[in-house]
Amino acid sequence: MLVNYKNATIYQQNGSPVLTHVDFKLDEGEFVYLIGRVGSGKSSLLKTIYFELDIDEADEATVLGKDLKTLHRRDIPKLRRQMGIIFQDFQLLADRTVYKNLRFVLRATGWKKSEVDDRIEEVLKLVGMQDKMLCLPHELSGGEQQRVAIARALLNSPKMIVADEPTGNLDPETAANIMEILRHIAQTGTAVVMSTHNMPLLDKYPGNVYRCYEGKLEEVTGDYNKMKISEEE
């Protein structure tokens, strides 16, 4: 079990509770969606998974086998190397080429110089971006930047990918391409949990679906297509 929450309370950055009585699990190779309107708690839940927000109230709250209620801050960098994080706004270093963006991560996480180039080439090939290695981020389209962000997330062969609205700024065709990559990643055994407002993706790329609604998290895998999920909900 990669993530296991039982009766957990999720707090926002400002200290106010946004989700209560949360039961949530993530297994190896699983593909999970989080849906719900803006402000419903999707991002806050994801932030607890990658240790950006603490969980102090829960019957159980473990990520990668570590108890979040007793986790030491010094242990977080090592744990984060076992996951890849993808954001809606890509968060690439604007003044560095694709190659140098990825090299920065590998050098920061202890890879040997002799291994760096091979690993960069490997992950860029996985996302179809090997021919853009020397480009700066502003020279790439949004979809291409997100592909690089996925490659960056894969560098350390993570056990899971955490993706916060990874297709939010992309056109439908590009979003579908990104989803194909993420689905392939899950099929190789890496779990993927992603938040999204793009409901058609759920039909085309099935997975387990959880909904954040009125302070609760509920599994709605068989019922999501009966719901209206929008910012105006």
Side-chain angles (χ1 to χ4, degrees), residues 10-135:
I10 309 296
Y11 287 85
Q12 294 175 311
Q13 208 89 44
N14 62 13
S16 60
V18 65
L19 293 170
T20 59
H21 306 295
V22 170
D23 293 329
F24 179 75
K25 293 182 179 181
L26 182 68
D27 286 314
E28 292 182 6
E30 192 173 7
F31 201 105
V32 171
Y33 293 100
L34 294 178
I35 61 175
R37 64 179 177 82
V38 170
S40 62
K42 302 188 304 297
S43 291
S44 294
L45 176 57
L46 293 180
K47 285 179 179 179
T48 67
I49 294 173
Y50 61 85
F51 317 113
E52 189 71 26
L53 289 175
D54 296 332
I55 290 185
D56 299 314
E57 301 172 22
D59 292 342
E60 186 170 349
T62 60
V63 174
L64 298 170
K66 296 295 183 180
D67 187 344
L68 298 189
K69 295 180 290 181
T70 59
L71 182 66
H72 295 291
R73 305 306 295 181
R74 65 176 178 269
D75 295 328
I76 290 176
K78 183 178 180 180
L79 288 169
R80 277 193 179 145
R81 288 172 200 155
Q82 298 180 57
M83 64 176 68
I85 307 169
I86 304 169
F87 300 99
Q88 182 175 348
D89 58 355
F90 320 131
Q91 296 196 8
L92 300 173
L93 300 172
D95 61 340
R96 306 186 191 198
T97 63
V98 168
Y99 170 80
K100 290 183 177 179
N101 264 273
L102 301 186
R103 184 182 68 178
F104 175 80
V105 174
L106 291 176
R107 297 304 302 277
T109 51
W111 284 63
K112 298 176 183 177
K113 282 185 179 181
S114 59
E115 301 171 332
V116 166
D117 286 357
D118 286 346
R119 184 56 181 161
I120 290 174
E121 185 174 350
E122 187 177 0
V123 295
L124 287 178
K125 188 175 181 179
L126 282 172
V127 300
M129 289 293 290
Q130 61 268 42
D131 60 337
K132 303 288 186 178
M133 192 179 297
L134 300 181
C135 293

Side-chain angles (χ1 to χ4, degrees), residues 35-40 42 88 165 168-169 196-199 211 213 228-233:
I35 61 175
R37 64 179 177 82
V38 170
S40 62
K42 302 188 304 297
Q88 182 175 348
E165 295 280 359
N169 289 331
T196 186
H197 277 100
N198 192 337
M199 300 300 288
R211 183 193 192 195
Y213 182 69
K228 179 184 176 184
I229 307 295
S230 71
E231 296 183 15
E232 294 78 33
E233 182 185 28

